[in-house]
Amino acid sequence: MAIDWQRYMAEGFYDELIEAPGNPRDAAAALCRFLEGLDDRELVEHRTAAELAIRTMGITFTVYSEEDGSIDRAWPFDVVPRVIARSEWEPVERGLKQRVQALNLFIDDLYHRQRILKDGIVPRELIANSRDFRPQCVGINPPHGVWAHVCGSDLVRDKDGTVYVLEDNLRVPSGVSYMLENRQVMKRVFPELFEDYSILPVDDYPAQLYDCLAALSRRRAKRPEVVVLTPGIFNSAYFEHAYLAQQMGAELVEGSDLLVGEDDCVYMRTIEGLSRVDVIYRRIDDQFLDPEVFRADSQLGVPGLMRAWRKGKVALANAPGSGVADDKVIYTYVPEIIRYYLDEDPILPNVPSYLCVNKTERDYVLDNLDKLVVKPANESGGYGMLVGPAASRKEREAFADLIRRHPRNYMAQPMLTLSTAPTLIDNHVEPRHLDLRPFILSGKKTYVTTGGLTRVALRKGSIVVNSSQGGGSKDTWIVDTEGS
C-alpha cells in the first residue's frame, strides 16, 4: 500500500486527520480508508491529474525576485484534503462573526467619536503613530457602518487542539480564489468522494460576494454596476482579481478605465461610452487609490475617487482606512475591543503576544529572541518577520537593533507548535504544518466561508505557509458527520 496510516507519525503535534498511528479522527475516517486503498500507481495518477487540472485551468500565482523579476508559477497543491467536523467548525464560525463585527465597530469609532481611545482601552498614541490611520476618512459614513466588507482571518491550532486567531487581514485580503479552485480540482480528481461524503459547499462565495457588494449601492438599480479594480497584470494576485470578476459577472478594470465626472459620480469607459459605476471592489492599497488625496505619483488609482466616495456617489470595498485595524500591534487589543463594543468574551482566543512598544515586554522579547517569532506591524505574506529558533545569531542581533530603533513597529509571539496534516511527499505521506484562512463578508448580513484556504508548509519542519516562500495549499472539507 502507498499509504499506511500505522506508519504515519506526527508525534508532539495535533494532527488534523490522524489522532494516533492507524487511528483517523472520526470526520476523516472514510477519507483515510479511501486513500489507504489506493496503490502506488493510482496515487501517482491522482496527483498527476491534479497537476494537469491546475495547468489546464490556468491556476497560477506570482512571485518576485531581485534576479528574475516577477514569475508566474503553477499553484502548489496537495491532494490530501484537510477535514474538519461541522460540529467543530460552528463555534469557529460564530467566533469569526463576533470578531469582525467588533473590528468594524472599532474602525467606525476611530473615524468618528473615538470613544475607545477616550476610555483608555486602546492607547491613543498607537493610532496616532499608525501607518494606516487615514485622517482623510474622518467623518465618512460608509453604508451599514461597515468598513471591512471582506476579511480573511488566519487561524492556527496548537498542540493541545486550541484554535487561535493568528492575525486579521482587513485591507485587501487575498486567497479566496484558490480556495474555490482547490475545490474544483478535488472534484475533478476524486469525484467519487463527493458522492459518498457530506462535504459542505464553498462555491456560493462569488454569489455571496456580489450580493454583499451590490447591497452597498446608494443608487436604486435592478443590478448595480460592480467593478473589480486591479493594479494590473503584474500584481501577484492578478489571477484572483480576474477570477472573481469573471465569477461575479463584474467588469475587471484598471484605474485608467475609470473617471470621476463633474457630478462627482464614477464612470467606466466602454466602447459604447461612459457607464456609471456604483460599487468598486478595490484590490489596490489606500495610498494608490486617488492621486488627489494620497500619493500624487500614483498611476493606479482614479483622481477624485475619494471625493466621490465621501459624497456617497460610489461605494468602496474595503473602505479606505480599514487597514488601521489590520495592524499586528492593534491585533493584541482585539479581545478587549470585543468586550468593549459587544460586552462579550471572545469566542476565539488570540495567540499570547508581547508589544515591543512597552518597555517591560520589549526587554523580555530582546532577552528571548531565540524562542520567539517577531513580526512587523504592517507587513504581510510572511515577509519581514523573524522566526527566532530558526534564525542565526547574526539575524537575531540585526532584528534586535530594528526593535530598539522602531519599537512601535514590532510585536512578538511564542513559537506555536502548529498542527499538521498528512501531505503527499513523493509516494508516501508525511506530516506538514498548516494554517487556515476563512473569509468573512460583512454588510447587511455576515457570511463565513465553510472552511477556507488551508495553506501548508511543504518544506519539512517549516512553519512558513506562504506560497511566495515555498508553501502550498489543500482543499478544506467541513464534513457533516451527523448527516452522513
Side-chain angles (χ1 to χ4, degrees), residues 105-112 114 116-117 127 133 138 324:
L105 290 169
F106 171 66
I107 299 168
D108 196 58
D109 186 21
L110 291 182
Y111 290 114
H112 291 89
Q114 299 191 340
I116 199 166
L117 307 184
I127 303 304
F133 179 78
V138 170
V324 69

Side-chain angles (χ1 to χ4, degrees), residues 130-197:
S130 170
R131 191 185 75 179
D132 290 299
F133 179 78
R134 307 293 180 203
Q136 302 90 339
C137 297
V138 170
I140 292 179
N141 297 296
H144 319 303
V146 173
W147 293 73
H149 309 89
V150 184
C151 174
S153 292
D154 293 344
L155 307 179
V156 294
R157 196 197 299 266
D158 203 1
K159 61 183 176 183
D160 63 358
T162 302
V163 174
Y164 292 94
V165 179
L166 185 65
E167 62 183 58
D168 303 292
N169 299 280
L170 299 162
R171 283 174 289 186
V172 191
S174 64
V176 73
S177 62
Y178 298 113
M179 175 196 80
L180 297 167
E181 292 283 42
N182 285 352
R183 179 60 53 86
Q184 292 303 312
V185 171
M186 285 298 288
K187 284 182 175 180
R188 288 191 182 195
V189 175
F190 293 113
E192 59 272 48
L193 286 173
F194 289 87
E195 296 173 3
D196 303 332
Y197 231 135

Side-chain angles (χ1 to χ4, degrees), residues 62-166:
T62 305
V63 293
Y64 297 99
S65 69
E66 292 182 0
E67 298 81 17
D68 304 313
S70 61
I71 305 171
D72 279 345
R73 292 182 178 171
W75 180 242
F77 177 72
D78 181 63
V79 296
V80 182
R82 177 190 197 152
V83 181
I84 303 171
R86 182 177 189 172
S87 58
E88 184 185 6
W89 178 252
E90 287 173 345
V92 174
E93 180 180 338
R94 289 196 300 272
L96 291 169
K97 289 181 177 180
Q98 176 197 58
R99 193 174 180 95
V100 171
Q101 181 186 3
L103 286 169
N104 270 303
L105 290 169
F106 171 66
I107 299 168
D108 196 58
D109 186 21
L110 291 182
Y111 290 114
H112 291 89
R113 296 174 59 193
Q114 299 191 340
R115 291 185 301 116
I116 199 166
L117 307 184
K118 295 171 183 174
D119 290 341
I121 306 300
V122 173
R124 185 177 293 275
E125 57 269 22
L126 292 184
I127 303 304
N129 296 320
S130 170
R131 191 185 75 179
D132 290 299
F133 179 78
R134 307 293 180 203
Q136 302 90 339
C137 297
V138 170
I140 292 179
N141 297 296
H144 319 303
V146 173
W147 293 73
H149 309 89
V150 184
C151 174
S153 292
D154 293 344
L155 307 179
V156 294
R157 196 197 299 266
D158 203 1
K159 61 183 176 183
D160 63 358
T162 302
V163 174
Y164 292 94
V165 179
L166 185 65

Side-chain angles (χ1 to χ4, degrees), residues 104-105 107-108 112 139-150 211-219 278-280 308-320 322 441-445:
N104 270 303
L105 290 169
I107 299 168
D108 196 58
H112 291 89
I140 292 179
N141 297 296
H144 319 303
V146 173
W147 293 73
H149 309 89
V150 184
D211 289 345
C212 176
L213 297 173
L216 302 178
S217 174
R218 303 262 179 121
R219 185 169 65 117
D278 298 297
V279 183
I280 299 175
W309 178 57
R310 177 178 283 277
K311 292 187 176 181
K313 298 298 183 72
V314 72
L316 298 176
N318 285 352
S322 300
L441 301 178
S442 300
K444 284 185 176 180
K445 62 178 183 177

Side-chain angles (χ1 to χ4, degrees), residues 215-279:
L216 302 178
S217 174
R218 303 262 179 121
R219 185 169 65 117
R220 291 193 175 187
K222 188 173 182 179
R223 182 177 171 86
E225 186 71 70
V226 177
V227 300
V228 179
L229 176 60
T230 176
I233 61 172
F234 297 110
N235 184 266
S236 61
Y238 181 76
F239 169 84
E240 175 158 302
H241 306 164
Y243 178 87
L244 290 176
Q246 188 268 334
Q247 291 293 307
M248 288 193 293
E251 296 291 341
L252 180 67
V253 300
E254 296 184 25
S256 58
D257 298 319
L258 304 177
L259 63 87
V260 176
E262 293 182 1
D263 57 359
D264 293 324
C265 295
V266 178
Y267 294 92
M268 172 173 53
R269 293 182 172 93
T270 76
I271 58 173
E272 297 175 348
L274 297 180
S275 175
R276 173 88 180 265
V277 172
D278 298 297
V279 183

